[in-house]
Amino acid sequence: MHQALLDTLPPDEVDVVIQRAEEAEVDEMWSYVGKKKTPRWLWHAIDHRSGQVLAYVFGRRKEAVFLKLKALLEPFGITRYSTDSWGAYTRHLDADAHQPGKRNTQPIERKHLTLRTRITRLVRKTICFSRSTQMHDIVIGLFVNRYEFGLPV
């Protein structure tokens, strides 16, 4: 919901439709900070139906970081997760709700390509990279907020 826009509109002209994100795609992509020996992972989840980003976190490729993302997804009431077959997903998602495989993660993989195309610090072979973790997370976070949510930066 874009609260700043809602505040400018007259209430009688606004229709709000709240829908649960029943299916989500979850994946992670890596880049690096300073040198390739210090990888930094962007974990994010998108709504399978609309393609909108639901939540994202930064960190290592560790289960604890996935659990942070999973906690952010709790309010959405997600009943089915599409992921790759990485072990953290199979260990921390119910087997009934988990659907591993590349077939159902094509839209989120496409988001990865868009991010890598538009943010040069995410390109694997580049001379443009972040020197600090803080700047890395800020630049990518600002882009995601602007590109996905239309929020001013």
Side-chain angles (χ1 to χ4, degrees):
M1 186 169 12
H2 194 301
Q3 190 63 44
L5 176 63
L6 285 177
D7 292 341
T8 63
L9 298 173
D12 57 335
E13 294 182 15
V14 177
D15 291 328
V16 178
V17 177
I18 299 174
Q19 294 180 327
R20 288 183 172 263
E22 296 176 357
E23 294 183 48
E25 297 176 30
V26 180
D27 202 12
E28 71 284 343
M29 67 182 291
W30 71 274
S31 57
Y32 61 93
V33 176
K35 55 189 172 211
K36 289 189 179 180
K37 292 181 180 178
T38 56
R40 187 79 174 153
W41 292 81
L42 166 64
W43 296 71
H44 64 289
I46 65 171
D47 181 7
H48 184 68
R49 186 179 39 80
S50 69
Q52 289 289 326
V53 171
L54 300 174
Y56 64 93
V57 294
F58 295 99
R60 303 283 299 188
R61 193 169 195 231
K62 303 282 184 185
E63 292 184 25
V65 181
F66 169 65
L67 293 175
K68 286 181 190 177
L69 179 63
K70 186 179 175 198
L72 290 174
L73 295 173
E74 290 293 327
F76 290 101
I78 297 169
T79 57
R80 172 173 256 108
Y81 292 89
S82 298
T83 69
D84 55 20
S85 299
W86 189 54
Y89 300 131
T90 56
R91 284 189 291 277
H92 296 287
L93 295 173
D94 293 334
D96 299 336
H98 186 216
Q99 192 172 19
K102 288 291 183 184
R103 175 197 280 167
N104 298 318
T105 59
Q106 290 175 352
I108 199 165
E109 294 292 347
R110 178 64 183 101
K111 288 242 188 244
H112 289 175
L113 182 60
T114 299
L115 289 171
R116 287 197 191 282
T117 302
R118 297 193 178 174
I119 304 174
T120 55
R121 29 185 113 213
L122 293 178
V123 178
R124 292 181 182 135
K125 293 184 178 182
T126 183
I127 59 170
C128 181
F129 59 91
S130 300
R131 292 176 192 239
S132 73
T133 303
Q134 181 181 15
M135 284 306 296
H136 181 270
D137 295 355
I138 288 172
V139 167
I140 296 167
L142 286 173
F143 179 82
V144 169
N145 283 316
R146 179 69 174 157
Y147 181 74
E148 292 294 332
F149 307 121
L151 298 175
V153 289

